[in-house]
Amino acid sequence: TSSTARRIARRGCSSNVAAMNKRMRGCSSNATAMNSLMQELPSIYKIAAMQITPMWKHMAEHASVKLNLAPTTILDLACGPGEPACTLAKTFPNASVTASDFTDGMLAQAQERVAENGLGDQVTVAKLDFNDLSSIASESIDLVTCSLGLHIPVDGPSQALSEISRVLKPGGTCIATIWEEVNMCDLCMKTMEEVTGEPFQMPFDPV
């Protein structure tokens, strides 16, 4: 149940949140505080990400049911804790899946999730920048996925989309989810309150 999930989440990340708040309160500037926040995110993301699980399942179902795909090669970009790569691997057991991210903390979580799900023979975890997929051969991938990643580049997603287009096989498919419009600070605070069960305030003015 959602209440049980919240209790598990609170036990798992309350100490990380407390430590993060303590470090951020000691920061001398907004930029330093934000850097500290970004460094701590991997430690709580695994638990907070349970709220995004339905999205990962929807992406896999969209590929298998609505589009009736049968990919043999899947590249998941900005996979975070290994999703939707692991969900896709279970949906398409004959596919070879690459779960990629550019953050070491996220890659460690992805590797852990792959192991927990017994998908080590099917899913490879790799460090990739979706703006530079030069290590991936052109026209070699059936399905590329990216969950909540393409909105991140400051200059927009054009370079990433160009690389995705290059690596996809003719007739290949890209399935991606993005934030269209969202108050990130408000979202972060609400997420932290949901996860910890306690009021959460930014230790600096984000404006």
Side-chain angles (χ1 to χ4, degrees):
T1 65
S2 59
S3 60
T4 301
R6 282 194 293 270
R7 287 197 297 272
I8 294 172
R10 290 171 193 170
R11 288 197 296 270
C13 73
S14 58
S15 60
N16 288 333
V17 172
M20 179 178 68
N21 282 335
K22 182 177 180 180
R23 277 190 285 274
M24 290 175 68
R25 281 194 292 269
C27 294
S28 59
S29 69
N30 289 357
T32 304
M34 184 56 72
N35 286 337
S36 179
L37 175 62
M38 294 303 294
Q39 290 171 9
E40 295 297 332
L41 279 180
S43 66
I44 62 172
Y45 188 90
K46 181 179 179 181
I47 298 168
M50 70 174 64
Q51 299 176 66
I52 310 174
T53 299
M55 183 187 303
W56 300 332
K57 292 180 178 179
H58 179 72
M59 292 175 74
E61 289 172 358
H62 186 78
S64 63
V65 179
K66 188 168 185 178
L67 299 181
N68 196 29
L69 300 180
T72 59
T73 51
I74 300 174
L75 173 61
D76 185 25
L77 302 171
C79 73
E83 291 289 358
C86 288
T87 300
L88 287 164
K90 294 176 182 179
T91 304
F92 302 105
N94 295 321
S96 174
V97 182
T98 298
S100 70
D101 204 284
F102 193 63
T103 306
D104 291 338
M106 293 288 94
L107 290 169
Q109 289 188 27
Q111 192 68 65
E112 180 181 348
R113 192 176 187 87
V114 169
E116 288 175 349
N117 284 274
L119 297 170
D121 292 335
Q122 186 184 1
V123 181
T124 300
V125 177
K127 187 171 186 176
L128 292 176
D129 179 351
F130 54 37
N131 287 319
D132 179 11
L133 301 177
S134 55
S135 62
I136 306 294
S138 298
E139 300 185 357
S140 62
I141 305 296
D142 293 308
L143 172 63
V144 173
T145 57
C146 186
S147 176
L148 303 179
L150 292 178
H151 60 280
I152 294 175
V154 176
D155 297 328
S158 58
Q159 178 60 31
L161 290 173
S162 177
E163 282 291 86
I164 290 171
S165 177
R166 180 186 63 79
V167 303
L168 278 173
K169 293 178 181 178
T173 302
C174 175
I175 299 176
T177 59
I178 62 169
W179 295 116
E180 275 192 306
E181 183 177 340
V182 62
N183 184 328
M184 289 303 295
C185 288
D186 184 57
L187 176 65
C188 287
M189 286 190 286
K190 287 181 178 179
T191 299
M192 294 298 289
E193 290 175 1
E194 176 71 14
V195 172
T196 65
E198 301 173 357
F200 181 82
Q201 295 294 327
M202 287 287 191
F204 61 90
D205 183 357
V207 179

